[in-house]
Amino acid sequence: MHLMYFTEQPMSAYPEDEGLKRGATALMFSNRHFDPVAGSRLYNEYLEHYRLAEEVGFDGIMLNEHHNAPFCMQAKCNVFASILAAVTKRVKIVLLGNPLPLADNPVRLAEELAMIDMVSRGRLVSGFVRGGGQEQLATGVNPAFNRERFEEAHELIVRAWTQEGPFRFEGTHYQHRVVNPWAVPLQKPHPRVWIPGVLSKETIIWAARQRYPYIALSTAIDATKKIWELYDSVAREVGYTGGPENRGYLQRCHVAETEEKAMANARQFMWMQGEFTGLAHPVWSSPSGYFSPSYRKAFVEFAVGRAANPRAAAFEEQIREQQIIAGTPKTVIPKLRRLLEETRPSILGFWAADGFVSNQDTTTCIRLLGQEVLPAVREMGKELGLWSPFEANAPVSITQPAPPTPRNGA
Amino acid sequence: MAPTASALAWTIEEVRVAGSSVRLRTTGRGAPLLVLHHDIGTPEQLPFYDALAGHFTVLLPSHPGYDGAERPAWMRSVRDVAVTYQALLATRGPADVSLLGLGFGGWIAAEMATMAPRAFRRMILVGPMGIKPGAGEILDQALVSYIDYVRAGFSDQAGFDRLFSPDPPTPQLEQWDLNREMTFRIAWKPYMYNPTLPPLLSGVQTETLIVWGRDDRIVPPGCGEQYARALPKSRLTVVDGAGHFVDMERPEALAKLIVQFAAES
C-alpha cells in the first residue's frame, strides 16, 4: 500500500462569521478577510505537519491547490512541492494535482514539475485535475473548454517530458512553435500520473483509458464501488485488467486519544458547511459548460436553490457512510478494514484534520496515525494483496508499459 | 397592461450554412427585417414579434448553439456568428434587408455592418453589447444565476413574471444554461466586447437607430453614446420604463420606433 498524508491547508484564521453572513466563501468572498500574519503562521505549521508525517512513516504527502477561498491556502501546489523536495528525504511528493486547464503555458508547468522531480531525486507523482468550477472564474479561464484544455495540456506535458526537443505543437487551445525545455524529469519515461476526482464519469473513463490510477476523493463506499466497476470495464476494453494498483482513495480520518475528542474534531471536516467546495455559491462552483451535460438538470436546479448540492451530504450521513472516520486508533482500524475489503484501493490518503482543529491535536493525530494506524493498515494491505503501483511495478501509462526508473530515487 | 403573445404563424426551416444547420423562423409581411435575439435566447412567441409582423417580413434565426440549434464546435467569436449570418443572407435572404439586433444580437448586427458597410437598408441596435464600457461594467452572468441574470434585464419584475413565470420551470433553466454555455464559447474573453469593433464601426454607412432602456442594468447606458460616436450615421433614443430587454418590457413602444425609423427615407 501507498499511504499518504493530506491536509487542505485550511485558512482557519479567517472570520467565520463573515463567511456565514456572506453565504459563500469562495471566489467573491473578499480577500480583506485574509490575514497574512495568521497565514504565515499556518503555512509554517502545515510544513511542520508534513515533516512529522514523513518522520512517523507515511509513504507520501499529497498536495493540492485552490483559489480565492479560505478552505485551502495553497494557491500553487508546485510551491509546496518544491519546498518538500528539499526538506524531505523519503516521501513521495504526490500532487493531486495541478489544474491543467488553468495553465496558459503547459510547457512551463512541465518544466516546474521536472525541476521538482530532479530536486526531490525522483520522488514526484504528478497528478492532474480539471480544477473546480470557481477556479475557472478565479483565473479567467473559459469553463466551456475545460475538458478540452485538460486533455490537450496533458498531451503537451507528456510530450515535453518524453519527446526530444525541439518540436512544434499546434493544438486547438495551445500553440507552441518551439517546445524544447531543458528541465526534464529524472524519472523515465516520466513521473507517475494519478488522477483524482469526485463525480465526473468522463474523468474516470479518461483515467482508465490512460491506465492512470484514479483517486476517489472521499466518496461513499457504494459510490466508490461503482467507480471501480466503470474503471475496470474501460480497462478491459482497452486491454488490461484493473486492480488495486489502479485504485486510490482519500479518506477523511481523524484520530485522537478519546472517542469524544476525535468526534468533536471530525466535525471540523464540515467547517463552512463542509465539502471541499465550502460555502460555494452554486453558480460559481458549476459555471455553464464546466460540468458534464448529463448533470445539467441537477446543477441548474442546484444553481437556483431548487435542489440540494449533488455533491454534499450531512455530517451524520458521512460518518455512517464512512466518508468521515473518527475515533481512537482502536476504533478506526476496523472501519479502514471495511474500506479496504470492500473497495480494494492500494493508494490511501489520510485527510487528517480540517478547519479549526488545533496544531496540537493535528500533531497528535499524525503521531497516532503513524504509530498505530499505518502499521495495521500495511498488514491488512499485505493480507488483502493491495499492492501499490510502486510495489507492483505497474506501468506508468497505457503507452509507457515499463515502470519508471530510478525506482527509489537516484 | 399585460401584453400577451398571439399564436403567430411561423415558417420554420433549417438552412445549411458554414457546415452547420441554422434554424430560421419567418413570419409577417413587408420589408425584410433580420431580428437577432439576446444571449438568453428567445421565447417562441412574444408580443414584440406580433407588433413587428404587421409591418415587416421578420426573419428570426436561432443563433448557432442557442435554443436547441446545432452548436458548431469550431465557433469562437461573435464575429464568427456575424459571418455565418452574412452567409445565411447570401443563400437564403432577400435583398435590401434591415438589421434589428437586441442586446447580444445587437453586437452581432454591428459586426455584420462592419463587414458590409453599404449592404443593409437600415440597422436598429437595442442595448447592444460589443463595446467596452467607458464607465461601469457589462454584468457578468457567470457570477449570477440564470434567473437573476434575466431578472436583471427587467426594469419591472412583473414583466419577468408574466413572460417566464415567477418560478421558471427546470427545462427553461436548462435552456438558459445551454445558451449561457454557448455565450461563454464565443464571448468569454474579453467578456461581451470586441476591442477591434469600435474603429471598424466608423466605416459603416448604414443609417442606424440606437435604442437604450433607461434602466438597463446589464449594459451601461453610456455604451449607447459610445455606439453613437462610433457609427457615423446614427442617433440614440432612450426608452423609459425598460431595462435591457426593451423588446420584452415595451414591445409596442419599441416596435413603433422601429416602424417610424424604417419609414424614413
Side-chain angles (χ1 to χ4, degrees):
Chain A
M1 292 209 75
H2 182 79
L3 305 177
M4 307 183 291
Y5 171 75
F6 174 70
T7 168
E8 278 278 11
Q9 294 200 4
M11 195 338 161
S12 52
Y14 94 104
E16 196 189 14
D17 54 331
E18 293 288 338
L20 290 166
K21 204 161 64 189
R22 179 74 167 80
T25 54
L27 193 67
M28 300 290 283
F29 182 59
S30 174
N31 64 358
R32 74 171 179 271
H33 301 302
F34 184 87
D35 172 5
V37 174
S40 175
R41 171 180 59 80
L42 288 166
Y43 275 135
N44 283 288
E45 284 178 13
Y46 297 143
L47 185 53
E48 286 310 309
H49 297 161
Y50 291 140
R51 294 166 77 123
L52 178 62
E54 180 174 62
E55 192 187 309
V56 302
F58 280 94
D59 304 313
I61 289 171
M62 167 181 163
L63 302 172
N64 72 337
E65 73 175 61
H66 287 285
H67 299 265
N68 299 27
F71 73 89
C72 174
M73 281 176 59
Q74 284 206 85
K76 188 74 187 143
C77 64
N78 291 358
V79 171
F80 257 87
S82 306
I83 298 166
L84 293 178
V87 305
T88 60
K89 294 286 177 249
R90 180 184 53 79
V91 282
K92 303 287 186 197
I93 298 162
V94 183
L95 307 184
L96 297 177
N98 271 287
L100 295 185
L102 308 191
D104 278 330
N105 183 356
V107 178
R108 169 116 196 164
L109 211 45
E111 289 175 313
E112 290 171 7
L113 293 165
M115 288 175 70
I116 292 163
D117 195 43
M118 286 184 283
V119 174
S120 68
R121 296 187 165 87
R123 291 185 286 131
L124 175 67
V125 174
S126 174
F128 297 127
V129 298
R130 297 201 295 138
Q134 61 221 12
E135 257 77 59
Q136 321 301 312
L137 304 178
T139 49
V141 170
N142 196 332
F145 299 119
N146 175 273
R147 196 167 288 280
E148 288 182 25
R149 285 172 68 93
F150 175 86
E151 293 187 12
E152 198 173 304
H154 164 264
E155 183 196 340
L156 174 51
I157 289 170
V158 171
R159 282 183 61 188
W161 281 346
T162 55
Q163 182 180 337
E164 281 182 9
F167 65 87
R168 184 162 172 162
F169 187 89
E170 297 287 346
T172 304
H173 299 281
Y174 301 103
Q175 297 84 29
H176 293 263
R177 299 213 292 282
V178 178
V179 182
N180 190 27
W182 268 61
V184 293
L186 176 65
Q187 296 181 82
K188 299 297 175 197
H190 63 76
R192 290 186 183 278
V193 175
W194 298 351
I195 305 295
V198 185
L199 192 74
S200 300
K201 283 197 174 78
E202 286 86 345
T203 304
I204 301 163
I205 292 168
W206 184 85
R209 285 191 178 282
Q210 309 295 322
R211 203 170 179 172
Y212 289 154
Y214 180 85
I215 315 298
L217 300 176
S218 307
T219 40
I221 284 179
D222 283 344
T224 311
K225 285 183 186 167
K226 288 203 176 73
I227 289 173
W228 303 136
E229 274 171 30
L230 177 60
Y231 188 105
D232 291 350
S233 74
V234 175
R236 278 193 297 278
E237 273 170 36
V238 298
Y240 71 98
T241 304
E245 74 272 20
N246 306 106
R247 300 179 178 185
Y249 186 79
L250 176 64
Q251 176 69 58
R252 278 171 289 183
C253 179
H254 185 79
V255 290
E257 278 147 351
T258 67
E259 292 294 321
E260 296 68 31
K261 181 155 209 167
M263 197 55 81
N265 277 341
R267 283 199 175 267
Q268 287 296 316
F269 284 120
M270 306 299 291
W271 82 308
M272 300 188 299
Q273 297 180 15
E275 267 289 309
F276 67 89
T277 49
L279 279 175
H281 189 295
V283 175
W284 310 337
S285 64
S286 45
S288 299
Y290 168 76
F291 49 81
S292 163
S294 57
Y295 293 108
R296 195 181 299 277
K297 184 169 181 290
F299 274 108
V300 299
E301 294 194 321
F302 173 46
V304 299
R306 205 169 280 175
N309 184 346
R311 290 191 288 228
F315 178 72
E316 290 71 18
E317 188 186 334
Q318 297 203 43
I319 288 281
R320 195 168 56 244
E321 296 292 331
Q322 286 200 188
Q323 288 166 281
I324 296 172
I325 293 177
T328 59
K330 194 178 159 196
T331 58
V332 303
I333 288 168
K335 289 177 178 162
L336 290 165
R337 184 174 187 96
R338 182 186 159 212
L339 172 78
L340 299 190
E341 283 177 346
E342 291 204 30
T343 67
R344 298 184 57 75
S346 72
I347 302 160
L348 185 59
F350 288 82
W351 179 354
D354 202 1
F356 299 97
V357 175
S358 70
N359 187 29
Q360 192 187 341
D361 286 356
T362 304
T363 303
T364 303
C365 172
I366 294 168
R367 279 197 192 286
L368 289 173
L369 283 170
Q371 287 163 1
E372 300 186 40
V373 179
L374 299 193
V377 172
R378 279 189 211 290
E379 285 309 308
M380 287 181 229
K382 281 181 198 156
E383 180 198 327
L384 298 169
L386 306 178
W387 310 116
S388 75
F390 307 105
E391 294 161 326
N393 280 331
V396 174
S397 72
I398 195 117
T399 56
Q400 304 283 355
T405 56
R407 216 171 281 164
N408 296 308
Chain B
M1 198 190 91
T4 49
S6 70
L8 206 57
W10 295 86
T11 306
I12 303 171
E13 55 190 315
E14 297 281 337
V15 187
R16 293 295 298 178
V17 186
S20 300
S21 178
V22 171
R23 193 175 58 208
L24 178 65
R25 299 163 67 218
T26 310
T27 194
R29 293 179 68 174
L33 181 68
L34 182 71
V35 180
L36 302 175
H37 63 70
H38 290 281
D39 53 346
I40 61 164
T42 177
E44 295 274 316
Q45 305 283 358
L46 280 176
F48 180 59
Y49 300 147
D50 291 356
L52 291 178
H55 303 273
F56 300 99
T57 299
V58 174
L59 303 158
L60 178 66
S62 292
H63 302 332
Y66 288 76
D67 288 343
E70 183 183 341
R71 174 199 289 171
W74 54 268
M75 204 168 257
R76 286 293 184 279
S77 70
V78 167
R79 198 165 276 172
D80 291 343
V81 183
V83 177
T84 301
Y85 283 154
Q86 294 284 12
L88 172 74
L89 290 178
T91 59
R92 170 62 189 76
D96 206 25
V97 174
S98 293
L99 298 181
L100 166 58
L102 305 168
F104 184 70
W107 178 8
I108 301 170
E111 296 278 3
M112 290 177 74
T114 65
M115 289 162 196
R118 294 181 299 175
F120 298 104
R121 191 173 168 277
R122 299 255 152 169
M123 177 161 72
I124 305 100
L125 305 177
V126 185
M129 283 97 167
I131 294 185
K132 182 184 181 182
E137 293 163 343
I138 296 171
L139 178 64
D140 186 356
Q141 63 185 299
L143 301 180
V144 295
S145 82
Y146 319 100
I147 292 175
D148 290 346
Y149 182 63
V150 180
R151 282 196 178 281
F154 282 82
S155 127
D156 177 0
Q157 294 308 311
F160 174 95
D161 295 347
R162 206 157 45 229
L163 279 170
F164 299 108
S165 96
D167 198 18
T170 296
Q172 174 69 75
L173 304 182
E174 290 180 82
Q175 194 54 62
W176 280 338
D177 181 65
L178 266 165
N179 294 347
R180 182 180 281 198
E181 181 175 343
M182 190 62 198
T183 301
F184 288 172
R185 291 176 73 93
I186 58 177
W188 177 261
K189 192 184 260 191
Y191 180 65
M192 286 295 190
Y193 67 87
N194 179 357
T196 69
L197 178 61
L200 293 172
L201 288 173
S202 67
V204 174
Q205 296 303 310
T206 307
E207 293 279 349
T208 303
L209 176 68
I210 303 159
V211 181
W212 227 275
R214 188 171 300 280
D215 307 318
D216 193 333
R217 288 182 287 150
I218 292 182
V219 186
C223 288
E225 285 148 34
Q226 290 174 262
Y227 260 105
R229 280 196 296 275
L231 283 162
K233 297 182 179 174
S234 68
R235 64 173 191 265
L236 172 65
T237 302
V238 174
V239 176
D240 289 323
H244 184 65
F245 302 124
V246 185
D247 52 309
M248 295 188 228
E249 285 200 288
R250 301 288 315 278
E252 296 293 341
L254 180 61
K256 193 173 162 192
L257 282 172
I258 293 165
V259 170
Q260 281 170 354
F261 178 64
E264 290 174 14
S265 57

